[in-house]
Amino acid sequence: MASLLLAPISCVGSALAQCAGACAATACCKLLTCGCLASPLSTNIFYSAILLVATVAALILRYTRQDLSVCVSGDCDDGSASTWMPTGSASYDLCEGGRCEGMWAVFRISFSLAALFSVLLLLSCCKSEFSVLVHRGFWAAKLIGLAAISVGTLFTPNDVFAYYAWVARFIAPGFLLYQLVSFVDAGYTINERLVDRDEESPPRPLLCFANGSGVAWKGLNLLLCLCLYSALLAGTGAMYYFFPQADCPFNPSAITSTLGMSLLNTG
């Protein structure tokens, strides 16, 4: 009798479990393969958020000298550096026995980002529907891929990232030049849009403020310029203060030339 009562229940339970497993697998598959197209503005915000989080993590690991190596046994923990996990029975020494703190952690984060965006560049270099899907979609796959690359760097010896840092110093100027062109273009675009709002007929109001005189947006433009110049001067002073001057003659020359070019381009 008991078996007769339990048989339908077990059948229903088995069917529900199979259905739940199939739904979960389908959901995971759609999550990884769904284009989930974001708007151009949202796409820029998502990519900027990834870069911001990576930058903050790199700064924390750089200056707190927190070791990324998960060495959790007494054989490999010499007490010279703190690790993410306490000493225990399990043991695995990451980074091939090397230290993963300071600049080595920064190199690993930089390499992970470079690998991700290099793949995206190759997949979206040609203008097509597929390139749009790659650029503005597949966000779960991108995050999982970035996490997988980051974890993989922990199993890579520091010598690899020493070569990466050497190559990056020659590629970085081109990337900085591209950023400079992008910032200049963004500045001209923002200036043009703010001025156009004052020259409309009638002038567009600024939030809750009336704009009968047609100078509100120009005033906002001027305020933004003053804030940016204040940030420029503050950042330049911070670089003079924190970056070594006597031991590295390149630092003061680079900072001074950057400040000079900024003031020269103001005119």
Side-chain angles (χ1 to χ4, degrees):
M1 182 63 69
S3 60
L4 293 177
L5 294 176
L6 293 176
I9 297 176
S10 62
C11 291
V12 172
S14 176
L16 291 177
Q18 292 178 1
C19 181
C23 291
T26 303
C28 292
C29 182
K30 289 184 177 181
L31 181 64
L32 293 175
T33 58
C34 176
C36 300
L37 282 182
S39 64
L41 177 61
S42 299
T43 300
N44 294 335
I45 293 175
F46 290 153
Y47 284 130
S48 299
I50 292 174
L51 294 176
L52 177 62
V53 172
T55 302
V56 172
L59 289 173
I60 292 175
L61 295 172
R62 169 66 178 88
Y63 292 104
T64 61
R65 303 196 66 81
Q66 174 67 55
D67 195 358
L68 288 174
S69 180
V70 184
C71 180
V72 292
S73 76
D75 296 335
C76 59
D77 187 4
D78 58 359
S80 59
S82 60
T83 56
W84 290 106
M85 298 180 64
T87 301
S89 57
S91 173
Y92 193 87
D93 190 17
L94 299 180
C95 306
E96 298 292 332
R99 301 286 288 279
C100 295
E101 63 181 14
M103 292 304 302
W104 297 114
V106 177
F107 291 156
R108 282 169 166 80
I109 294 176
S110 173
F111 178 84
S112 300
L113 292 174
L116 173 66
F117 286 106
S118 296
V119 173
L120 294 178
L121 175 63
L122 292 176
L123 295 178
S124 60
C125 59
C126 298
K127 188 176 181 180
S128 62
E129 183 178 354
F130 175 75
S131 64
V132 174
L133 289 174
V134 171
H135 178 61
R136 294 166 52 189
F138 302 102
W139 295 104
K142 292 174 184 177
L143 294 177
I144 293 174
L146 179 61
I149 297 172
S150 301
V151 172
T153 59
L154 298 179
F155 298 88
T156 308
N158 288 340
D159 292 341
V160 174
F161 298 102
Y163 287 111
Y164 165 75
W166 185 83
V167 174
R169 70 176 60 185
F170 297 101
I171 301 178
F175 180 69
L176 292 176
L177 181 61
Y178 172 77
Q179 284 185 315
L180 178 62
V181 174
S182 300
F183 280 128
V184 171
D185 179 70
Y188 277 107
T189 302
I190 294 174
N191 175 75
E192 182 179 354
R193 290 182 179 180
L194 292 179
V195 172
D196 288 343
R197 293 187 177 187
D198 269 340
E199 295 179 351
E200 292 179 359
S201 182
R204 185 179 303 185
L206 176 60
L207 298 179
C208 300
F209 303 97
N211 188 19
S213 59
V215 296
W217 292 100
K218 295 184 180 71
L220 177 61
N221 194 6
L222 179 60
L223 178 61
L224 291 176
C225 291
L226 292 176
C227 292
L228 291 175
Y229 271 104
S230 299
L232 168 66
L233 296 176
T236 303
M239 287 189 290
Y240 274 120
Y241 181 79
F242 288 105
F243 290 176
Q245 304 294 318
D247 298 334
C248 183
F250 174 77
N251 284 343
S253 60
I255 298 172
T256 303
S257 61
T258 301
L259 178 61
M261 290 297 297
S262 301
L263 297 178
L264 181 62
N265 290 328
T266 301

